[in-house]
Amino acid sequence: MKNYEQVLEQAQTGNAEAQLLLGAMYEHGKGVAEDAAQAARWYRKAAQQGEPKAQLLLGVMCADGRGVEQDFQAAVHWLQEASNQDEKQAQFLLGMMYAEGKGVQKNFVQAYKWVALAQNVDKAERVLSLLSEQMDKEQITQARQLAAQFKAF
C-alpha cells in the first residue's frame, strides 16, 4: 500500500483513483487521522471526475450527514451517477431512496427497477419481495421492463 504522502501527491495532480484512495484513508483513519470532512472532500473530487466508487461513497456520506451536511437530494444525485455506471451497491441504495421517498418522490416502480438491477447485493431479494407486496402486477411488469432496458454508460 502506498503511503499518505505518495497518495496525496497523486491526488493533488487530479488522479481520481488516488483521490478515492485518499478519501478512504481519511474515512477509515489509515495512515492519517480519521476525518470524515476530508474523506468527503476527496471523494467529491474523484466523484466529479466520474469515479463510480467515489460517487457511491459520497452519496452514502450525504445521506448519513457524515463529513457533510445531510442532504438526501445530493445523495440521490451521487447514487444516480454511480448507478448509471452499473455500480451495484449504489443501485440498491438508490432503490431504497425511491422506496422511502428520501431526496426524491416515493416511486415503487423506480425503487423496484434499481433494486432489481442490484443483483447479488445483500438483501436485494428481500426488498424486491417487500416492494412487490405494495405494487400491482402492471407496476411490477413496468419496473422489470425498465430494468431490462437499462444500459450503463
Side-chain angles (χ1 to χ4, degrees):
M1 180 171 177
K2 297 178 181 179
N3 69 31
Y4 171 78
E5 289 79 19
Q6 291 171 317
V7 175
L8 177 63
E9 183 179 328
Q10 290 179 343
Q12 288 174 330
T13 66
N15 180 310
E17 190 175 306
Q19 292 168 342
L20 171 63
L21 179 57
L22 190 57
M25 291 171 80
Y26 275 111
E27 183 176 11
H28 302 291
K30 301 289 183 187
V32 64
E34 192 173 311
D35 185 334
Q38 282 292 340
R41 176 177 170 254
W42 288 105
Y43 286 154
R44 182 176 309 279
K45 287 178 179 290
Q48 289 170 333
Q49 293 189 69
E51 166 50 59
K53 188 73 170 177
Q55 292 166 339
L56 163 66
L57 295 170
L58 182 57
V60 170
M61 293 184 91
C62 289
D64 293 344
R66 211 167 19 94
V68 295
E69 189 171 322
Q70 188 174 47
D71 183 341
F72 292 124
Q73 289 180 330
V76 166
H77 168 77
W78 290 115
L79 293 173
Q80 181 75 60
E81 291 291 316
S83 293
N84 288 342
Q85 296 184 71
D86 211 24
E87 176 21 89
K88 298 301 184 191
Q89 188 66 38
Q91 290 170 338
F92 178 79
L93 294 173
L94 182 60
M96 295 304 297
M97 299 293 276
Y98 273 105
E100 297 170 6
K102 289 186 175 177
V104 290
Q105 186 171 355
K106 188 180 283 193
N107 183 323
F108 291 138
V109 171
Q110 286 296 316
Y112 192 104
K113 167 195 161 183
W114 288 113
V115 174
L117 286 166
Q119 302 161 3
N120 302 323
V121 171
D122 189 36
K123 301 180 186 174
E125 288 301 317
R126 176 76 178 126
V127 170
L128 287 176
S129 176
L130 292 171
L131 287 169
S132 295
E133 294 172 10
Q134 300 178 60
M135 300 167 70
D136 60 37
K137 288 183 182 190
E138 185 178 309
Q139 289 174 311
I140 294 169
T141 298
Q142 180 186 8
R144 287 179 176 158
Q145 286 173 343
L146 289 171
Q149 294 166 359
F150 174 79
K151 294 209 183 343
F153 58 83

